[in-house]
Amino acid sequence: METKRKTYDELTFTDDFMFCEVLRNHPELCKALAELVTGRKVQSVRLPQAQMSEKFLYEGKGVRFDITFEDDAHTNYDIEMQTVLKAGISKRSRYYSSMIDMYHLKQGTEYSALPDSYIVFICLEDPFKKDIARYTFHETCEELPDYRLEDGRTTIFINSKSSNGASPELLEFFDYLNGQGPSSPLTKAIEKAVLDQKDSEEGRIRYMTLEEHYKEEREIGKAEGIEIGTEKGIEIGTEKGIKIGKSEMIQNAVAAGKSVEQIADVLGLSVKEVQRFCQL
């Protein structure tokens, strides 16, 4: 069953669209947020790019960044809002970092001149279940744990469900993310930006247009999953119907007359797994 999507007026800062719109339109909030989550001083930032998409290989997987921007020292930042903890978040952070590097290499940058980067995931759930507020990762030597690779890459996971190791300012930010009212200068500024954004007719139209686009993609994926009746068609339907979910795609294949055994064989699943998806 398709989840009911929020109306524009129901959106909060933790919703993907509002998160991107607020930070895209307020570079000063990008600067303040970057300082808060990384713990480093940022003098100024270039105008951020919201949901910048990059796809470098014909057969490769594309990536859509939430907010990417650069500071005055040419350090790159990618800040992602994670309302739901998705599988493979560690390897996804690695992929995001590589895509940022590829973007710069395409512009003619030499390896030695690749800028430092910070990939930050703001999580509303604890990504590693270790109950600390900030997980910061660098490449280190296994034989010499105190020796860093110094490749310029930092990956940070912010856990809004923990107070361990969090500054008072970070705790106030966590309270705001978790549904409490704004109490710090930063969260008050963010909330004002959210309310101002809700008054933007341009933003409202952009949100409605985006929702219509996603709806069309889901409908196309659903129709193709039903229409294509061959085993190859089911495989294609799997790829194009990914946005409507694996369970719905399997149900569409059943509706197209495919047996549970045929679906299991094409998708590399067990019969029990297919039956379980059919019952979701």
Side-chain angles (χ1 to χ4, degrees):
M1 180 178 296
E2 188 172 326
T3 304
K4 182 180 181 298
R5 294 186 177 272
K6 290 183 177 181
T7 67
Y8 188 68
D9 291 320
E10 291 173 331
L11 296 177
T12 67
F13 182 64
T14 60
D15 290 299
D16 184 64
F17 182 85
M18 187 60 71
F19 178 77
C20 296
E21 287 292 290
V22 165
L23 295 183
R24 180 174 67 86
N25 292 318
H26 297 275
E28 75 282 1
L29 293 181
C30 282
K31 173 182 179 297
L33 183 58
E35 290 183 335
L36 180 65
V37 296
T38 65
R40 69 193 303 267
K41 187 66 178 175
V42 179
Q43 294 298 326
S44 63
V45 303
R46 294 188 181 184
L47 188 66
Q49 301 177 46
Q51 296 186 330
M52 179 181 70
S53 296
E54 293 294 341
K55 190 168 184 178
F56 299 104
L57 303 176
Y58 180 74
E59 296 293 339
K61 177 179 175 62
V63 60
R64 187 187 70 174
F65 302 102
D66 276 358
I67 287 292
T68 60
F69 55 95
E70 186 178 88
D71 68 12
D72 56 312
H74 303 294
T75 298
N76 279 265
Y77 300 84
D78 169 37
I79 303 181
E80 304 285 328
M81 177 62 71
Q82 300 291 294
T83 56
V84 177
L85 193 59
K86 300 176 183 177
I89 191 171
S90 300
K91 290 190 176 180
R92 191 146 56 90
S93 71
R94 165 182 157 186
Y95 185 67
Y96 279 32
S97 178
S98 68
M99 288 297 98
I100 288 177
D101 287 345
M102 284 291 291
Y103 174 78
H104 287 282
L105 288 173
K106 283 187 66 177
Q107 311 307 311
T109 303
E110 296 292 333
Y111 290 116
S112 60
L114 279 173
D116 290 350
S117 66
Y118 284 79
I119 309 296
V120 182
F121 287 85
I122 300 175
C123 303
L124 300 192
E125 301 177 46
D126 190 336
F128 305 114
K129 311 302 180 187
K130 301 297 183 182
D131 191 28
I132 58 173
R134 181 192 282 113
Y135 300 88
T136 303
F137 293 91
H138 297 98
E139 293 289 338
T140 59
C141 177
E142 185 173 336
E143 292 77 12
L144 300 170
D146 293 332
Y147 190 74
R148 291 186 181 179
L149 185 59
E150 301 294 349
D151 61 353
R153 180 176 59 181
T154 302
T155 306
I156 298 174
F157 298 87
I158 298 295
N159 170 26
S160 72
K161 290 298 190 287
S162 178
S163 60
N164 292 327
S167 65
E169 293 79 13
L170 195 56
L171 288 177
E172 289 173 323
F173 181 61
F174 287 173
D175 287 341
Y176 178 65
L177 294 180
N178 290 309
Q180 298 186 30
S183 58
S184 66
L186 175 59
T187 56
K188 288 178 181 178
I190 290 175
E191 182 66 10
K192 181 181 184 305
V194 169
L195 295 176
D196 289 344
Q197 185 61 39
K198 289 183 178 181
D199 288 334
S200 167
E201 191 62 28
E202 180 183 347
R204 188 179 300 273
I205 293 173
R206 189 158 49 246
Y207 180 69
M208 293 173 62
T209 302
L210 186 64
E211 287 302 294
E212 283 299 314
H213 174 70
Y214 288 158
K215 182 179 179 181
E216 288 178 4
E217 283 189 336
R218 291 193 296 271
E219 290 301 320
I220 290 172
K222 185 184 297 184
E224 291 181 352
I226 294 174
E227 180 182 351
I228 302 172
T230 63
E231 290 185 351
K232 181 61 179 176
I234 292 178
E235 183 180 341
I236 295 173
T238 301
E239 295 174 356
K240 294 194 174 182
I242 197 168
K243 290 183 175 65
I244 64 174
K246 185 178 289 185
S247 63
E248 190 170 347
M249 185 279 301
I250 290 175
Q251 290 167 7
N252 290 338
V254 172
K258 289 296 179 180
S259 69
V260 170
E261 290 76 14
Q262 286 176 310
I263 298 170
D265 181 59
V266 171
L267 298 182
L269 301 174
S270 68
V271 170
K272 287 185 178 180
E273 286 176 310
V274 173
Q275 291 172 334
R276 178 170 60 82
F277 279 116
C278 289
Q279 294 170 358
L280 292 179

